[in-house]
């Protein structure tokens, strides 16, 4: 296996030479029909409140779905602070086991590229194809969803995080950086 820095350099070269995934604007219902390879890694990306978990429940019930936040919350109780790396490894092992069984969806909160690239690198060899599904509602829709679910939200500083993540996602979409490292990208508004 190559080093992570070599992996990132290759992604950069791919981006510079336009060897990047194909981007589709897609209605929700058509995505599962397009995923045919039995060992596809599907990463769900969107800012908090975009509807990732609901989208997974409605569209990917036939696949292995791992909600990153729930996995961490369920397992954090048994991990001491100094063992946080073991929790990350536990998550990766769980994802690898799921990929052996078939197509696996990772419902991850982070829209940051470094998180996505780290996952692709650490799971490399476990999947035959990587697909990114981006939930990208308008900022107005997002704020409306968050306000309606505010009582369910735990983090008090969420508004600042959502604004930063939203801007980062828009930049990635605008510069076509969203398609680096994956075969296909499906953008759902």
């Amino acid at each position: 296996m190559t080093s992570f820095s070599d992996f990132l350099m290759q992604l950069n070269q791919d981006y510079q030479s336009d060897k990047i995934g194909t981007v589709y604007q897609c209605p929700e219902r058509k995505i599962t029909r397009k995923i045919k390879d039995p060992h596809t890694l599907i990463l769900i990306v969107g800012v908090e409140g975009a509807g990732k978990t609901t989208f997974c429940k409605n569209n990917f019930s036939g696949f292995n779905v791992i909600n990153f936040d729930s996995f961490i919350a369920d397992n954090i109780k048994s991990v001491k602070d100094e063992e946080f790396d073991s929790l990350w490894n536990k998550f990766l092992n769980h994802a690898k086991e799921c990929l052996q069984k078939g197509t696996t969806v990772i419902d991850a909160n982070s829209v940051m590229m470094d998180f996505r690239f780290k996952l692709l690198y650490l799971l490399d060899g476990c999947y035959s194809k990587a697909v990114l599904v981006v939930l990208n509602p308008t900022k107005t829709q997002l704020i409306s969803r968050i306000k309606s679910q505010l009582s369910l939200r735990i983090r008090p500083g969420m508004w600042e995080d959502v604004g930063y993540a939203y801007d980062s996602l828009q930049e990635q979409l605008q510069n076509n950086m969203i398609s680096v490292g994956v075969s296909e990208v499906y953008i759902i508004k």
Side-chain angles (χ1 to χ4, degrees), residues 11-124:
L11 290 180
N12 186 43
Q13 289 172 359
D14 290 348
Y15 178 69
Q16 298 298 326
S17 64
D18 282 336
K19 283 190 201 173
I20 51 180
T22 307
V23 178
Y24 303 98
Q25 303 289 331
C26 187
E28 277 186 37
R29 301 269 180 239
K30 293 191 177 184
I31 289 178
T32 53
R33 286 185 244 146
K34 293 180 178 277
I35 312 285
K36 305 232 185 281
D37 193 309
H39 296 284
T40 300
L41 172 62
I42 303 170
L43 300 175
I44 306 296
V45 174
V47 300
E48 188 169 352
K52 297 177 298 300
T53 302
T54 302
F55 179 83
C56 286
K57 286 178 186 171
N58 292 340
N59 294 283
F60 294 123
S61 60
F63 298 132
N64 303 307
V65 178
I66 305 169
N67 181 295
F68 184 75
D69 292 340
S70 294
F71 182 88
I72 297 299
D74 291 345
N75 290 279
I76 197 85
K77 298 167 189 130
S78 63
V79 176
K80 298 175 185 145
D81 287 343
E82 62 273 4
E83 296 175 336
F84 192 75
D85 285 345
S86 70
L87 181 58
W88 176 246
N89 289 331
K90 189 174 181 179
F91 170 77
L92 290 172
N93 288 334
H94 179 62
K96 288 174 184 178
E97 289 170 11
C98 287
L99 280 162
Q100 287 176 354
K101 295 175 190 171
T103 295
T104 300
V105 180
I106 298 180
D107 173 5
N109 193 24
S110 180
V111 300
M112 301 310 170
M113 289 188 308
D114 55 347
F115 177 81
R116 188 165 62 244
F117 292 160
K118 194 72 166 178
L119 266 179
L120 291 171
Y121 172 73
L122 293 171
L123 295 173
D124 191 36

